[in-house]
Amino acid sequence: MSLSYKESGVDIDAGARLVEEIKPFVTATFNENVLGNIGGFAGGFALPKGYSEPVLFGATDGVGTKLKLAIEAKKFDTVGIDLVAMCVNDLICSFAEPLFFLDYYATAKLEVDEAKEVIKGIAKGCQEAECALIGGETAEMPGMYREGDFDLAGFAVGIAERGDLEARPPLKAGDILIALPSSGIHSNGYSLVRKLFFERLGMKLDDTFEGKPLYEVLLEPTRIYVKDFKKLRPHIKALAHITGGGIVENLPRILPEGLEAKIEKKKIKTLPIFDFIAKYVEEDEMYKTFNMGIGLILVVDPKEVDAVLSQSDGYIIGELAQGSKGVQLL
């Protein structure tokens, strides 16, 4: 008796159908530099003109256990935005403008409607990040994942001018730290979030929190800061994406030896979700796990502060000073 691939758990026809259904919103992310269409063996992208010595940067990331919440809530339209955000927000910290994005979607059994919503979110994130979604891969792997589960990985490539990078002014004591607010928890700390809300406190996804269903608050997509970066780039010296590890782990990644960041905790505009979690989690743990309401920290020369504040929703949280490389929360 013959056996088919579909009988072993892999439906090639479903994959082909998904490619056809996602074409409209994927191609909506294309620009004049995209070569070819989706469905090929690789995505092509011509380097933009106007660079004398272009440098490419690459970033990759995932969404982590925030996906578990999306699966449990059956809300699939936002985690794709998270995926793009986690990659492109890293790129801009190297002063690279995102060019294009690719995704990897792996699951036990391909549910076309669910996957379509996820990829629609990825396309939406790419449009917000002003980059093209030029390709991806859908892998159906029964036995590798539990039924109903899926995982995501994202890959972004950006571009910068080598001369601009080499001409960037050094950081110095007295530079001002400006926070750009986060939209919520973003995409880090969700193992702790899930354990607290659903195991320790026994809450339900549709419980009300600050006038909204809890799942909507927890699945609020990660803010994408690409447009902010492009607007503020002439006025900033450095920037740090506040992800896993929080402020205390991420901000030192851009500091030279001999400089420390002094941040006044009372100036941080925390969000209600963090204020609630802080009732059950120690302060040190909060600051090394969550963004605490800050998605991006900019380092700005004092004379550029007014320009940054007038063109953004940022606010001052501290400054750089002589000292051991690291962060002091005062």
Side-chain angles (χ1 to χ4, degrees), residues 143-166:
M144 182 67 73
Y145 294 93
R146 291 184 301 181
E147 186 172 348
D149 280 351
F150 67 89
D151 198 10
L152 291 174
F155 313 88
V157 171
I159 191 169
E161 182 69 75
R162 180 187 287 272
D164 292 343
L165 299 177
E166 294 174 346

Side-chain angles (χ1 to χ4, degrees), residues 216-234:
E216 287 190 10
V217 176
L218 297 182
L219 290 175
E220 181 69 31
T222 305
R223 177 173 167 179
I224 293 174
Y225 296 95
V226 173
K227 292 178 182 177
D228 298 283
F229 163 71
K230 289 181 177 179
K231 180 170 55 177
L232 299 173
R233 175 168 42 189

